Amino acid sequence: MADQPPTELSRLLGAADVDARQEAWKAFIHQHSRLIMHAARSLGGGYDAAMDRYARVLDQLRADDLKRLRAYSAQSGTKFTTWLVVVSRRICVDYHRSLYGRQRATGNPDPVREESASVRKQLADLIAAKVDLDQLSDTTKPNPETSVVQTELRQAVAEVLGALPNRDRLLLALRFEDGVPVREIADLMGFPSQFHVYRRLKHVLADLRLALEKLGIDGPNP
Amino acid sequence: MESVESGGTHLTDHQMAGYLDRSLSAGEIEQVEGHLADCSECREEIRAATGLIRSRKKREMWYWGSSVVAAAAAVILFIAGPFSRSDTEEPTLRGPGGAFDAGIPAISAIAPQSGASVDRDGLTFVWRSLGADVNYRFTLTNLLGEEIWQTDVSDTSVVLSSEITLASGEVYVWLVDALLLDGRSVTTGSQSFELNR
């Protein structure tokens, strides 16, 4: 499990003088420049932008007496290259944001509408009712009865979702909130295959249906 | 980034990398998955990192695979005109830099020259240096493009390992790749030779 720190990193962190550190830094860059460039390119924007981010990553890794690199702990068992991918990407994203500000990736900026869409989607999958779920969450209609029903339904769904194990909550969030492909979920969460994801989703949704039924909900109307 | 344990808002580098590596304890996984379930920003970030790692692996496979394909292509040309010294084969530069790749020095193959007939004993491959602090990857394939031997060296020559058996009269292909500090790579292109009977 616990990998030793890569030789080039150990040499860099343990360099006794300026010359040794310079040599070690060169070796480190040589070993990992491909990976860092890969992370720098992942944010798009052409060659110059990528090179700019690449340089930024190098600066940040070297800053404060290699503080960020020193934070890597082999005792954690984390592979250095995986750690470096995460760190490089984070530095690139931070840099990108410092230049262009934080951007929403996709979607509607209205949180109310997003929440409604999310609840609709969850309910559609959870209860599979053959009803027009839009009528539940259409916030433009000032019908107080509909509004109450909608609120109760949201509360019920939130209650049963909150009672799920974290892993199942993450599974549902990835699948139904983010719309992540099942193959990618399998890869990210460490399922042996996408079929295992489907199986787990089916199981979780069945449990949720049962839980909602216990709360007296067997359809979109509580 | 602050740690989840410390009541901060996002996963630490270690938590994220450890989750991707499956190197966290059960308790840590539970904690990370709980955070991810509620934090769309961290989910987006970890998805991006997963994609990077996956695409990097694919890219590396493509990168080295393309060497073999290039070798196979060169072999086809070689068979079409055996021993007609393929001087026209330009050393190529690979990399996603596109037009920016132009003008970057390629590696010059020195020996054995493409199309040469050589002896197995002491078979040594030589190429021109790209300067100090450059590492090279040497690859030897057969006519089908199947990799026979690959080794990383910092020198500009390599003696074929005595453990590698080559067949007399057969044609083989060699090439050398190197990674530049800016992330781009250069290559000798495919060089073919025949082993003397």
Side-chain angles (χ1 to χ4, degrees), chain A residues 103-194:
Chain A
Q103 290 177 318
R104 297 185 67 85
T106 54
N108 192 320
D110 181 348
V112 176
R113 287 183 64 87
E114 280 189 345
E115 187 189 352
S116 297
S118 176
V119 169
R120 274 207 302 275
K121 204 167 186 183
Q122 287 167 9
L123 284 174
D125 285 277
L126 291 173
I127 305 171
K130 293 179 181 176
V131 294
D132 180 11
L133 292 174
D134 282 337
Q135 65 184 328
L136 286 171
S137 52
D138 187 351
T139 53
T140 61
K141 290 181 183 174
N143 182 338
E145 193 179 335
T146 303
S147 178
V148 170
V149 169
Q150 188 182 350
T151 304
E152 288 179 357
L153 199 50
R154 276 189 194 153
Q155 284 172 349
V157 171
E159 189 178 326
V160 293
L161 286 177
L164 288 174
N166 285 341
R167 188 167 175 78
D168 289 340
R169 288 199 304 118
L170 174 57
L171 179 61
L172 293 180
L174 287 168
R175 186 63 184 141
F176 297 116
E177 283 181 40
D178 302 343
V180 178
V182 169
R183 185 188 296 270
E184 192 183 326
I185 294 176
D187 200 17
L188 175 60
M189 294 186 68
F191 283 96
S193 72
Q194 53 185 319

Side-chain angles (χ1 to χ4, degrees), chain B residues 37-81:
Chain B
D38 296 325
C39 181
S40 59
E41 195 170 330
C42 279
R43 283 204 304 274
E44 188 182 330
E45 208 169 315
I46 204 164
R47 281 183 61 204
T50 309
L52 266 180
I53 292 165
R54 197 192 309 120
S55 64
R56 182 171 162 258
K57 283 176 184 166
K58 278 185 188 169
R59 185 180 153 79
E60 281 177 353
M61 285 171 68
W62 169 84
Y63 177 77
W64 296 116
S66 66
S67 298
V68 176
V69 170
V75 165
I76 291 167
L77 291 172
F78 180 79
I79 291 170

Side-chain angles (χ1 to χ4, degrees), chain A residues 11-27:
Chain A
R11 200 175 300 156
L12 176 62
L13 299 181
D17 54 49
V18 175
D19 288 344
R21 175 174 288 198
Q22 190 59 29
E23 283 305 305
W25 176 250
K26 275 187 194 171

Side-chain angles (χ1 to χ4, degrees), chain A:
Chain A
M1 166 141 149
D3 292 334
Q4 289 298 311
T7 314
E8 66 280 1
L9 178 62
S10 301
R11 200 175 300 156
L12 176 62
L13 299 181
D17 54 49
V18 175
D19 288 344
R21 175 174 288 198
Q22 190 59 29
E23 283 305 305
W25 176 250
K26 275 187 194 171
F28 177 85
I29 296 303
H30 185 269
Q31 187 68 31
H32 298 292
S33 60
R34 188 191 292 260
L35 182 153
I36 296 169
M37 268 306 288
H38 189 53
R41 285 196 174 110
S42 71
L43 273 74
Y47 178 83
D48 288 342
M51 287 306 291
D52 209 19
R53 289 191 290 268
Y54 172 78
R56 177 72 171 197
V57 173
L58 298 192
D59 281 349
Q60 291 289 304
L61 292 178
R62 206 169 182 177
D64 299 328
D65 189 27
L66 308 166
K67 185 181 173 187
R68 198 127 189 190
L69 286 172
R70 289 184 194 283
Y72 170 75
S73 157
Q75 278 68 39
S76 71
T78 305
K79 214 170 139 191
F80 180 69
T81 48
T82 305
W83 180 88
L84 192 56
V85 165
V86 169
V87 169
S88 298
R89 173 154 173 101
R90 279 185 151 173
I91 292 171
C92 290
V93 169
D94 287 346
Y95 184 54
H96 189 80
R97 283 174 179 165
S98 73
L99 292 175
Y100 307 109
R102 189 178 288 259
Q103 290 177 318
R104 297 185 67 85
T106 54
N108 192 320
D110 181 348
V112 176
R113 287 183 64 87
E114 280 189 345
E115 187 189 352
S116 297
S118 176
V119 169
R120 274 207 302 275
K121 204 167 186 183
Q122 287 167 9
L123 284 174
D125 285 277
L126 291 173
I127 305 171
K130 293 179 181 176
V131 294
D132 180 11
L133 292 174
D134 282 337
Q135 65 184 328
L136 286 171
S137 52
D138 187 351
T139 53
T140 61
K141 290 181 183 174
N143 182 338
E145 193 179 335
T146 303
S147 178
V148 170
V149 169
Q150 188 182 350
T151 304
E152 288 179 357
L153 199 50
R154 276 189 194 153
Q155 284 172 349
V157 171
E159 189 178 326
V160 293
L161 286 177
L164 288 174
N166 285 341
R167 188 167 175 78
D168 289 340
R169 288 199 304 118
L170 174 57
L171 179 61
L172 293 180
L174 287 168
R175 186 63 184 141
F176 297 116
E177 283 181 40
D178 302 343
V180 178
V182 169
R183 185 188 296 270
E184 192 183 326
I185 294 176
D187 200 17
L188 175 60
M189 294 186 68
F191 283 96
S193 72
Q194 53 185 319
F195 303 108
H196 290 77
V197 177
Y198 280 124
R199 215 172 295 157
R200 187 64 205 162
L201 276 172
K202 194 176 166 187
H203 186 78
V204 174
L205 291 175
D207 283 353
L208 281 177
R209 257 184 236 110
L210 271 178
L212 285 171
E213 281 170 14
K214 282 180 184 171
L215 292 174
I217 299 169
D218 55 4
N221 298 307

